[in-house]
Amino acid sequence: MRMVDIITKKRDGFALNPEEIRFFIEGYVSGSILDYQASALTMAIYFRDMTDLEIAELTRAMVNSGDTVDLSAIDGIKVDKHSTGGVGDTTTLVLAPLVASIGVPVAKMSGRGLGFTGGTIDKLESIPGFSVEMSSDQFVKRVNRDHIAVIGQTGDLVPADKKLYALRDVSGSVESIPLIASSIMSKKIAAGADAIVLEVTCGDGAFMKNEKDAIRLAETMVQIGRHVGRKTSAVITDMSQPLGFAIGNALEVKEAIDTLQGKGPSDLEELVYELGSRMVTLAGKAPNLDDARKQLEQALKQGLAFAKFKQFIENQGGDPSVADHPEQLPQADFQIELPAKVSGVVAALKADQIGLAAMLLGAGRSTKDDTINYGTGIVLHKKVGDSVVKGESLLTIHSDSKQVDQVVRKLYQNITIAERADRPKLIHQIIN
Ligand code: URA
Ligand code: CA
């Protein structure tokens, strides 16, 4: 088999067979296929697309390119959740203890994030003492006993994705739905999930800027799940504005604590129930979505989810008293209000740009060696559709420096106040 023939076959619009797909992935990871050939093929895929069967085979070949996690020692159906990313996305911090509190095993392997704010681990590490270091043995024992544990990345999962993503990033083929779908699903499958709940975000702050692309990506990933025998369900959500109020690591932990006590932002709470009831159903803990949702609402109301959060923090070496005293979390040195320049209704809070503003404050990394200032970020007081009067604070900037001119300028440029505006719909569509 020759790589050049595989490239020309795809270039001319034909479907590749499983042997050809495996030949490409194995050869690229081992180094016998070179970057320029791989970039020609990924570009051909970008233009010519792939069939569902090709995409499933590509995903399988990628999973097989490295280590896989075996969660069979953990009782029950392991359901993982993945979001294609957003700004101020505090969902996992609430969802994980909430579903664990009704017995759904949460066995999460998590990485550190690049971009707007930290990844889930960074957020959790803003809690004094919290650590994701543990042996695989401990991990399994904890999930079996308490239904929740988060461990740092171990092993070399999906090396094909690391190599391909870096290549696509510099050769113009990131925005290919078959390549994105196989990239995401291969990592979830390699991490041992039996079933997967996907949140596919759309809007300014998301990877998919419009609903049509988000739906195609979701459908493609659900199909992959079907082909490889992992039940997958996707929720398309709005990410035109940040989720909830808080953007920034410790600020989001506080937001999660508020939400677990029933005092959270309504959009975050709604999303948690929407995703959570799918996880509970896929895990076989409820006969249908309505029942699952009722169980989750009860667990939240009765304080079970909040208690689970404390137990989880303590298990991982963190100080659980932050749950009752969030003021013990890292705090930025300065809090600066951003007053509205006119009266009206908030019509836009551009999620991506507000995320960048939080990053300028030190809440995210632009390179993987950057350090995070845990206390910094932004807390919104108004969301799209809210009325505001001139001089009223739109948001609070949490900064370790008094010098925030650049951030203030960026925020004003990306917040629109108009005469009228509707609240955006949070849940666009469900794909099963
Ligand atoms: N996220 C991923 O994990 N992979 C992609 O290709 C794009 C976004
Ligand atoms: Ca948030």
Side-chain angles (χ1 to χ4, degrees):
M1 213 177 283
R2 295 192 317 158
M3 185 60 190
V4 64
D5 299 325
I6 296 175
I7 297 168
T8 52
K9 186 174 178 185
K10 182 46 74 182
R11 179 200 68 193
D12 295 341
F14 296 101
L16 303 178
N17 64 43
E19 291 73 39
E20 289 162 335
I21 289 169
R22 283 199 294 271
F23 177 83
F24 162 58
I25 291 296
E26 286 164 15
Y28 188 46
V29 171
S30 72
S32 62
I33 290 167
L34 299 169
D35 279 341
Y36 51 80
Q37 292 179 306
S39 77
L41 182 63
T42 53
M43 188 56 79
I45 292 170
Y46 174 90
F47 280 111
R48 291 296 197 171
D49 212 339
M50 287 181 124
T51 65
D52 284 347
L53 279 175
E54 283 179 287
I55 300 169
E57 198 53 48
L58 176 61
T59 306
R60 261 190 217 108
M62 288 172 72
V63 170
N64 292 335
S65 73
D67 298 332
T68 55
V69 180
D70 179 4
L71 297 178
S72 57
I74 294 171
D75 312 327
I77 301 169
K78 276 70 69 180
V79 187
D80 204 353
K81 169 248 168 195
H82 178 82
S83 167
T84 57
V87 175
D89 188 352
T90 316
T91 316
T92 303
L93 297 180
V94 183
L95 197 50
L98 176 59
V99 300
S101 76
I102 61 168
V104 175
V106 177
K108 204 158 180 62
M109 182 181 275
S110 217
R112 267 164 244 278
L114 259 191
F116 300 138
T117 53
T120 297
I121 289 192
D122 300 300
K123 292 172 194 182
L124 289 166
E125 281 177 348
S126 71
I127 298 169
F130 189 96
S131 164
V132 292
E133 305 284 320
M134 68 187 85
S135 67
S136 322
D137 244 23
Q138 267 177 319
F139 179 65
V140 168
K141 276 202 191 113
R142 271 186 203 158
V143 182
N144 278 335
R145 190 188 65 199
D146 296 327
H147 302 123
I148 184 167
V150 177
I151 189 171
Q153 197 98 339
T154 56
D156 191 15
L157 304 192
V158 203
D161 180 63
K162 294 188 184 101
K163 215 171 160 184
L164 267 178
Y165 193 85
L167 178 87
R168 288 162 55 209
D169 203 22
V170 293
S171 62
S173 60
V174 166
E175 297 86 352
S176 155
I177 285 179
L179 297 178
I180 297 171
S182 54
S183 165
I184 293 172
M185 288 296 283
S186 62
K187 285 176 281 195
K188 291 285 123 184
I189 293 164
D194 299 316
I196 300 157
V197 175
L198 297 163
E199 180 198 0
V200 178
T201 50
C202 79
D204 285 328
F207 216 72
M208 297 288 120
K209 304 296 175 201
N210 65 65
E211 186 168 4
K212 187 171 141 274
D213 289 341
I215 291 171
R216 257 214 69 207
L217 177 61
E219 286 173 347
T220 305
M221 292 193 286
V222 168
Q223 279 303 322
I224 293 174
R226 185 160 301 153
H227 282 285
V228 303
R230 317 280 170 123
K231 276 195 194 139
T232 303
S233 179
V235 180
I236 314 260
T237 66
D238 176 73
M239 194 48 78
S240 59
Q241 62 177 339
L243 183 68
F245 299 122
I247 305 137
N249 300 280
L251 296 169
E252 290 185 47
V253 171
K254 178 171 185 313
E255 181 168 73
I257 292 168
D258 289 342
T259 308
L260 287 163
Q261 292 177 303
K263 301 179 293 189
S266 57
D267 58 346
L268 175 60
E269 189 178 291
E270 178 55 28
L271 183 58
V272 163
Y273 284 135
E274 193 68 45
L275 296 170
S277 45
R278 291 189 156 67
M279 291 176 76
V280 172
T281 313
L282 284 175
K285 299 279 179 191
N288 57 52
L289 291 171
D290 279 347
D291 182 88
R293 187 176 175 123
K294 284 202 187 90
Q295 290 189 47
L296 292 173
E297 285 172 353
Q298 282 288 321
L300 197 112
K301 211 176 286 164
Q302 294 172 347
L304 301 178
F306 184 60
K308 183 57 72 180
F309 178 78
K310 286 199 220 177
Q311 182 187 48
F312 164 56
I313 300 304
E314 188 159 22
N315 280 349
Q316 308 242 170
D319 178 359
S321 71
V322 299
D324 295 307
H325 301 282
E327 69 281 359
Q328 291 172 4
L329 289 164
Q331 300 215 26
D333 296 334
F334 303 98
Q335 297 194 6
I336 300 152
E337 303 301 323
L338 191 84
K341 290 180 177 173
V342 294
S343 298
V345 177
V346 177
L349 288 162
K350 285 195 76 167
D352 52 344
Q353 297 300 316
I354 291 171
L356 281 173
M359 203 162 112
L360 289 174
L361 293 164
R365 291 187 190 84
S366 46
T367 71
K368 72 180 182 1
D369 299 322
D370 282 353
T371 53
I372 284 183
N373 295 1
Y374 288 123
T376 63
I378 290 167
V379 177
L380 303 172
H381 305 306
K382 302 284 174 183
K383 302 268 306 218
V384 172
D386 288 346
S387 303
V388 59
V389 294
K390 185 179 169 180
E392 196 181 357
S393 180
L394 291 164
L395 55 85
T396 305
I397 298 166
H398 293 249
S399 173
D400 281 342
S401 152
K402 249 183 175 152
Q403 211 22 64
V404 289
D405 296 356
Q406 197 194 352
V407 171
V408 165
R409 219 173 308 122
K410 189 178 242 337
L411 290 169
Y412 274 129
Q413 278 165 3
N414 290 289
I415 300 175
T416 311
I417 297 174
E419 267 179 38
R420 282 204 331 251
D422 293 329
R423 287 177 206 285
K425 206 168 124 206
L426 179 65
I427 310 291
H428 288 230
Q429 210 165 320
I430 311 290
I431 314 275
N432 283 309

